[in-house]
Amino acid sequence: MFSKRTFLKSIIAGLLLAAVPAMADGYVAPPEGYVSLHYHRADGKYDGWGVHAWKRAPHASDQPLDGVSWSSPLAPTGTDDFGPYWHMKIADFGSTGLAHYIIHKGDSKEQKGKDMQFDTKEIKEAWVTSNDEQIYKTKEEALAATK
């Protein structure tokens, strides 16, 4: 027999799980007010790779997101069958709505070493693949580009 407390805990846990749209492949959609950056490597080797993300305000110096530095990039939020992904709060990028980032491992940089950006008003999920400077709007587009 369940106590009221145990019963309520199980109901709350069920509601929380239902609120997070997850799929069988480990994918979790970004929560409201967040964007996702998804990263795929053909070799499947992700150890040490992280995201350096910053906001860029007009006529001001770039400011890394809180807790981010070159030597301490964002750790992945999770991993799915595509690879690691990072959920980042849109408001942290400032009023421009542009998410600026570099995927790197030490001084090795992805996307041909370029500073990358995407407009969070247009793209809620960005999909990138190793050795490709493009930002794709869907997983399928990104995977098709690897073939």
Side-chain angles (χ1 to χ4, degrees):
M1 193 95 197
F2 282 4
S3 69
K4 281 185 179 180
R5 183 180 181 103
T6 304
F7 178 74
L8 288 174
K9 281 184 178 180
S10 65
I11 294 293
I12 291 170
L15 290 172
L16 289 173
L17 286 174
V20 177
M23 295 181 184
D25 62 4
Y27 169 80
V28 177
E32 184 67 32
Y34 285 74
V35 292
S36 291
L37 177 61
H38 301 264
Y39 176 50
H40 177 77
R41 294 181 58 82
D43 65 10
K45 296 179 181 179
Y46 297 103
D47 286 345
W49 289 93
V51 170
H52 184 73
W54 67 93
K55 66 181 171 183
R56 177 173 286 163
H59 312 294
S61 299
D62 291 347
Q63 297 294 313
L65 300 188
D66 285 343
V68 175
S69 69
W70 190 255
S71 59
S72 181
L74 284 173
T77 303
T79 303
D80 58 22
D81 66 342
F82 188 79
Y85 58 88
W86 294 264
H87 288 171
M88 299 174 287
K89 193 173 185 178
I90 294 170
D92 289 348
F93 290 105
S95 61
T96 66
L98 297 176
H100 296 270
Y101 73 92
I102 299 173
I103 298 173
H104 71 99
K105 179 179 181 178
D107 287 333
S108 296
K109 302 173 188 175
E110 273 297 356
Q111 297 186 281
K112 300 189 179 180
K114 295 181 178 181
D115 289 1
M116 302 300 294
Q117 71 180 31
F118 62 93
D119 188 340
T120 63
K121 295 173 190 126
E122 294 178 22
I123 299 175
K124 297 301 180 210
E125 295 189 73
W127 303 80
V128 301
T129 60
S130 184
N131 300 316
D132 184 350
E133 64 185 282
Q134 297 299 310
I135 297 171
Y136 299 95
K137 292 182 180 181
T138 69
K139 175 181 173 180
E140 293 74 24
E141 289 174 340
L143 289 174
T146 65
K147 296 177 182 177

